[in-house]
Amino acid sequence: MKTRLKICSVCALFLLAITGCDLTDINENPNQPTAKVNYNFDEARLAGAFRGTLPVMEGDDEQRIKSLTIDFFAQMLDGGNYDPKNYLSNEDWNQRMYRRVQSAVSGLNIVIRNLTGKENEYAKTIAVAKIWRVYVQAQGVDYFGPIPFAKYTEVENNPPYKSVEDSYTEFFRELDDAADLLGKGSSNIFNSALSDIVYRNDAAKWKKFASSLRLRLALRLSEANETKCKEEVAKALAAGVMESAADNAYVPPRADGGWGADYNYTMFQITWAGPLVMSSSFGKLVEGIGGIAWEGSIVNQRAVWDNKSPEERVNASYKHPEKIDPRATVMFDPPYAKPASAAYGNAWAGLTPGLSVSDRGKDEYNRNYYPELGILFKDGAPYKSRPYDVFLYEEVCFLKAEAFLRGFAQGDAKAEYEKGVHASFSTWGVSGHAAAYLASADKNLAGTSAKFDDDIAAAGNTPLEKIITQKYLSLFPDMAMEAWNDKRRLNLPRMDVPASRNELLYDNSDRDIRKPANFIKRVQYPQNEIQVNKTEYDKGVQLLGGPDVVSTPVWWDKNKNYCTSGQ
């Protein structure tokens, strides 16, 4: 009997222990989410937004939007014979950019909407979503002009087109909110720092990024609203912008073997049988400037990778300038092949922008005979994991230099200009040449020298031309969008007028480089907007202030000319 009682007692205790536990898990599907776990999908949405917009896109879209459109407009690179180089629109490519911008903004709206009201925990997450939303929206506005953006405060089925001026007002307001939110909340931006592929959960760096973005957007208004420009420049500088290369913003490619996952220029030039070559405008900016002698050791890395024999490669006798900006021979390699005729090619000169259809087929314009993008190999192999430049400290220096030079804020323009050049030379691994370069009065083919206070009354050599020329070079190659923005805003740096442009909109006999209207102003709206959204499209065109064509400037582009270079 005693034994039986002991057994019953043990069983009772066992059952008591079980009933003291939560047994409901037994009836739960392990493949379904439960309320017990914080499934914060908004973090994944935000992390995913860092990829998918300029300059970091899946290869197919990036090639069409950046390499074969924006790069043509900024005249940094020439990637082939496609319509945008002649200022003709490509409907499919316009739709790609439109979708990219709207999709990114839509995803960021969900993040902000879902986390609003939870600022105690997610203030910093909301802040970064707002910052990136401004970064993406500004790209869309500067690309097309007035476009619709859905609000995150409510769900809109068909948001109205908004003027560029109103969009910029919103950008600055959102950056105000983001700056405030970055100082609140008890948690990090992401649960895991690895999700933040830009700054690894460093809120202080995100604050500097936001202030630097404000400075960039403030200068965009220099010709349209100087009062607002000065106001926002002051806010940006007071809040604290990037202070060194440690604050640089990069986004790494996935480079995981998937299609379109490599650094896109590497994929275009090597896998897709490029090459991407120097434009004549770029060549004129780097030839002769800075007093640094040509270093004759550079080779075409793609030819080496392709096992071209020494006889087939461009050799040491290759013609080149006596002096060259030392960054240029890192940015570009000599041509891939020797030209078929000694009468053309075989010189450090870029390809003429906007070649006509009839000229494209001529052998003298074969891209293999021109300097090609030279940053795509590392340690003898294709550099597939090269990170994308999103925002660099040197750009901030040149933004400050312009602001100080033009009286938008108080400061030493020359000092910031020289800091920017030093930073850019360090980025390109030629920092040992920076001091001599900045002391040189040697001029490039546009008439611009590197020495800030040298002969500033000479054609092409004003302080503003120096600043924007150096800024342009520092933006190469990933931030060509900013280079195109400066070209439209200031008509700087000096560029060649494309050889052939859309004859319905441009007089191809007009070759005046000092005439801003000779260069492209925007990209047309996707024409399916006319089919599916005509009422709002018509309002957008009205807000644009001119016809929906590439020669109509956006609001902040006032067709100002600061180019003094000779023809």
Side-chain angles (χ1 to χ4, degrees):
M1 176 67 73
K2 289 182 179 180
T3 301
R4 185 177 298 172
L5 286 173
K6 287 180 180 179
I7 293 172
C8 290
S9 298
V10 170
C11 290
L13 288 172
F14 179 68
L15 289 170
L16 181 62
I18 291 176
T19 55
C21 300
D22 185 354
L23 298 181
T24 57
D25 288 347
I26 296 174
N27 296 317
E28 289 180 353
N29 185 341
N31 296 317
Q32 295 291 329
T34 74
K36 296 179 184 178
V37 180
N38 179 15
Y39 293 97
N40 185 6
F41 296 114
D42 295 299
E43 285 198 1
R45 286 191 187 95
L46 177 55
F50 297 144
R51 293 192 173 101
T53 54
L54 287 172
V56 191
M57 291 182 180
E58 166 271 322
D60 198 40
D61 281 2
E62 203 277 354
Q63 186 191 39
R64 287 154 175 77
I65 295 167
K66 173 71 167 57
S67 181
L68 302 180
T69 299
I70 296 173
D71 286 353
F72 290 159
F73 301 164
Q75 294 192 26
M76 281 189 171
L77 292 163
D78 192 295
N81 301 324
Y82 298 93
D83 288 343
K85 67 164 44 180
N86 304 114
Y87 295 174
L88 294 162
S89 285
N90 184 298
E91 172 63 11
D92 174 60
W93 301 3
N94 296 355
Q95 288 186 32
R96 288 170 186 260
M97 179 62 171
Y98 196 84
R99 287 196 303 265
R100 284 279 178 175
V101 171
Q102 297 293 357
S103 176
V105 170
S106 177
L108 291 164
N109 282 351
I110 294 172
V111 173
I112 298 168
R113 187 182 303 126
N114 287 351
L115 300 183
T116 297
K118 304 175 184 177
E119 285 79 3
N120 287 340
E121 186 175 359
Y122 294 112
K124 293 180 176 63
T125 311
I126 299 169
V128 170
K130 283 175 173 274
I131 293 165
W132 204 257
R133 185 174 181 266
V134 170
Y135 173 76
V136 173
Q137 283 181 290
Q139 292 179 357
V141 166
D142 295 341
Y143 199 82
F144 293 108
I147 55 176
F149 288 117
K151 300 174 184 177
Y152 55 76
T153 53
E154 60 183 277
V155 177
E156 294 180 289
N157 292 326
N158 189 25
Y161 278 67
K162 180 182 291 188
S163 74
V164 173
E165 184 176 10
D166 286 348
S167 287
Y168 268 77
T169 299
E170 178 185 317
F171 299 162
F172 295 126
R173 185 176 63 246
E174 289 293 280
L175 290 175
D176 286 339
D177 290 348
D180 182 57
L181 287 164
L182 280 171
K184 296 180 178 179
S186 58
S187 66
N188 289 315
I189 300 162
F190 293 93
N191 286 325
S192 169
L194 294 178
S195 295
D196 184 353
I197 59 176
V198 182
Y199 283 131
R200 291 291 187 263
N201 264 355
D202 192 326
K205 288 187 177 180
W206 273 111
K207 183 178 179 182
K208 291 179 183 178
F209 178 92
S211 297
S212 300
L213 179 59
R214 182 192 296 274
L215 183 62
R216 175 192 277 180
L217 298 178
L219 266 293
R220 193 93 79 245
L221 307 188
S222 65
E223 314 309 306
N225 188 338
E226 185 175 321
T227 299
K228 185 64 172 175
C229 171
K230 289 180 177 179
E231 177 188 331
E232 296 301 332
V233 166
K235 281 186 180 181
L237 297 179
V241 293
M242 294 179 180
E243 298 174 316
S244 72
D247 298 323
N248 287 348
Y250 308 102
V251 173
R254 293 194 305 274
D256 57 5
W259 189 91
D262 298 340
Y263 178 64
N264 286 324
Y265 282 127
T266 308
M267 181 166 57
F268 302 157
Q269 184 152 313
I270 300 171
T271 310
W272 292 359
L276 304 166
V277 302
M278 178 193 290
S279 75
S280 60
S281 296
F282 195 99
K284 289 171 183 175
L285 297 180
V286 296
E287 182 174 337
I289 192 172
I292 309 299
W294 177 279
E295 295 182 358
S297 60
I298 63 171
V299 298
N300 185 289
Q301 299 171 85
R302 189 167 62 97
V304 175
W305 178 256
D306 287 346
N307 294 314
K308 294 291 184 183
S309 69
E311 292 75 25
E312 293 176 293
R313 300 178 204 162
V314 175
N315 56 34
S317 65
Y318 170 69
K319 297 176 184 177
H320 56 72
E322 180 183 348
K323 297 177 182 178
I324 190 81
D325 186 312
R327 291 168 293 181
T329 54
V330 182
M331 295 170 172
F332 288 95
D333 284 350
Y336 178 79
K338 296 176 183 178
S341 169
Y344 54 80
N346 203 29
W348 188 266
L351 187 64
T352 301
L355 289 172
S356 66
V357 174
S358 59
D359 281 339
R360 292 175 190 174
K362 294 179 179 178
D363 196 45
E364 59 260 45
Y365 298 120
N366 185 326
R367 283 180 291 142
N368 284 321
Y369 301 157
Y370 290 84
E372 67 178 52
L373 189 58
I375 59 174
L376 305 181
F377 287 84
K378 186 176 182 180
D379 301 326
Y383 191 10
K384 298 179 179 182
S385 60
R386 184 190 191 275
Y388 293 90
D389 300 330
V390 173
F391 212 136
L392 303 184
Y393 164 66
E394 42 262 55
E395 181 189 345
V396 173
C397 294
F398 295 124
L399 290 167
K400 291 168 71 176
E402 181 188 344
F404 297 158
L405 176 73
R406 302 183 66 189
F408 302 150
Q410 295 298 310
D412 189 335
K414 178 180 178 181
E416 292 300 329
Y417 166 82
E418 293 186 343
K419 287 179 186 177
V421 172
H422 276 285
S424 179
F425 271 54
S426 179
T427 292
W428 291 99
V430 292
S431 55
H433 291 301
Y437 181 90
L438 285 167
S440 173
D442 288 356
K443 296 177 174 63
N444 62 19
L445 300 185
T448 313
S449 68
K451 187 176 180 181
F452 189 74
D453 48 11
D454 159 62
D455 196 18
I456 59 174
N461 206 33
T462 65
L464 186 58
E465 284 172 303
K466 294 172 188 287
I467 291 168
I468 302 302
T469 294
Q470 294 299 327
K471 181 183 177 185
Y472 177 86
L473 297 175
S474 76
L475 294 169
F476 180 87
D478 293 327
M479 295 177 288
M481 182 72 185
E482 282 308 302
W484 180 36
N485 289 337
D486 279 344
K487 184 62 181 174
R488 293 181 284 170
R489 179 172 66 97
L490 304 170
N491 196 28
L492 291 176
R494 179 246 176 258
M495 290 183 189
D496 293 332
V497 175
S500 176
R501 295 161 292 166
N502 183 344
E503 294 179 357
L504 295 177
L505 301 175
Y506 294 90
D507 175 5
N508 282 308
S509 66
D510 187 348
R511 316 304 301 164
D512 189 352
I513 64 170
R514 299 188 188 186
K515 186 176 178 181
N518 271 331
F519 299 93
I520 192 164
K521 296 297 184 175
R522 60 181 288 271
V523 174
Q524 282 180 268
Y525 296 122
Q527 295 305 289
N528 66 351
E529 280 287 283
I530 299 174
Q531 306 300 321
V532 302
N533 196 24
K534 190 172 189 310
T535 299
E536 285 302 323
Y537 166 84
D538 288 342
K539 292 177 183 177
V541 174
Q542 184 176 11
L543 290 169
L544 180 64
D548 180 17
V549 293
V550 300
S551 57
T552 300
V554 298
W555 169 72
W556 49 256
D557 174 3
K558 300 304 180 182
N559 270 321
K560 293 291 186 71
N561 174 56
Y562 292 88
C563 177
T564 69
S565 178
Q567 289 286 4

